[in-house]
Amino acid sequence: MNNKDTTIKVNVNKNILYDKYEAAQKNRDYLASKNILCLNIMGSPGAGKTALLEMTAATMKNKISVIEGDLQTDRDAQRMREAGVNAYQITTGSACHLDAFMVEKAFGKMDLLDEQILFIENVGNLVCPASHDLGSHLSVVVLSVPEGDDKVGKYPVMFQKADLLILTKTDLIEYVPYNKVRVYDDFKKVNPGGRIIETSITDSSSILPWIEFVEKHKAELSCV
């Protein structure tokens, strides 16, 4: 009797990272077909991401749509709708970040208009979101003064990939110990070509450099 093992093994494993890359590229292709500029907004819980988008809506209400990411509730999406913006909430349950597959599903449930600007507010986290390509054109990190001046140095990967760092709640600097020079120096070390914009909800004019940044990139996209 022949006891030789004649089992044929077939490798059916998928390259998960490649699948994620394909999903992100599919999202980029969809955005390109509608000439939509997409920005991935990242930062800690409470950094001021939604407040930034509310201030943005005051100027660009009819030009923008928003995808909100949180573990639970649709509170941020409600805030954006109250600001007059087309918004969709993704609740991740326990996932600490959004991924390209979640964003693709959101596209199918939103009425995204051609020529718009789409902001994706990622789940509050300074670690995981940096490693996941959603298919966006730009990555923006929001960092608030109350978080302390050491975060860029402690979480460099997030800031290395940022096209822009927005320092929020700057009106609080006079009330808390804060070394702004340290933030700028640390950011320059990890992201020499990066830019920093400072904002405060107590100063409506502080939003203008941010609006100019967004509109500049939208104009550049339209010319491609």
Side-chain angles (χ1 to χ4, degrees):
M1 183 175 180
N2 187 357
N3 293 322
K4 184 178 180 180
D5 184 2
T6 58
T7 302
I8 299 176
K9 296 181 180 180
V10 179
N11 186 358
V12 295
N13 292 328
K14 286 188 175 182
N15 187 330
I16 296 176
L17 292 178
Y18 184 72
D19 285 350
K20 289 183 177 180
Y21 168 80
E22 280 195 322
Q25 187 57 50
K26 184 177 179 180
N27 289 347
R28 267 187 286 272
D29 292 342
Y30 171 78
L31 294 166
S33 72
K34 299 180 74 65
N35 200 30
I36 294 174
L37 175 70
C38 181
L39 298 90
N40 181 14
I41 312 295
M42 298 173 284
S44 299
K49 299 185 296 299
T50 310
L52 175 73
L53 294 177
E54 287 174 324
M55 293 178 72
T56 305
T59 301
M60 309 180 72
K61 183 186 306 182
N62 298 324
K63 298 180 181 180
I64 70 176
S65 290
V66 175
I67 294 175
E68 293 284 354
D70 276 305
L71 270 66
Q72 293 294 336
T73 83
D74 66 344
R75 292 173 183 171
D76 286 350
Q78 289 180 32
R79 286 173 61 180
M80 296 312 305
R81 293 183 196 118
E82 290 169 1
V85 173
N86 174 33
Y88 180 79
Q89 183 76 48
I90 299 175
T91 51
T92 64
S94 60
C96 58
H97 59 85
L98 298 179
D99 63 33
F101 300 108
M102 297 176 189
V103 172
E104 180 186 0
K105 289 180 181 178
F107 287 165
K109 298 180 180 180
M110 299 181 72
D111 185 19
L112 292 175
L113 303 177
D114 293 359
E115 305 291 338
Q116 276 202 320
I117 298 164
L118 174 65
F119 297 103
I120 302 176
E121 182 181 338
N122 220 310
V123 178
N125 193 323
L126 277 179
V127 182
C128 304
S131 302
H132 294 269
D133 184 359
L134 306 182
S136 61
H137 300 100
L138 297 167
S139 295
V140 178
V141 180
V142 177
L143 180 68
S144 69
V145 167
E147 293 176 73
D149 53 33
D150 61 348
K151 295 301 179 289
V152 178
K154 292 174 70 174
Y155 303 97
V157 175
M158 173 65 75
F159 297 93
Q160 285 170 353
K161 298 185 177 182
D163 296 288
L164 178 69
L165 169 59
I166 300 182
L167 187 61
T168 62
K169 308 182 185 181
T170 54
D171 52 297
L172 298 179
I173 288 179
E174 60 180 301
Y175 302 108
V176 297
Y178 195 79
N179 187 346
K180 190 168 70 172
V181 173
R182 182 186 194 186
V183 175
Y184 274 74
D185 286 347
D186 284 350
F187 187 62
K188 186 176 181 180
K189 289 176 184 176
V190 301
N191 192 340
R195 180 183 174 188
I196 299 178
I197 290 175
E198 299 181 18
T199 66
S200 166
I201 60 171
T202 63
D203 179 8
S204 59
S205 66
S206 69
I207 199 73
L208 296 179
W210 160 241
I211 299 297
E212 291 171 0
F213 174 88
V214 174
E215 291 184 333
K216 172 180 177 290
H217 284 280
K218 179 64 179 74
E220 290 175 352
L221 179 69
S222 299
C223 292
V224 175

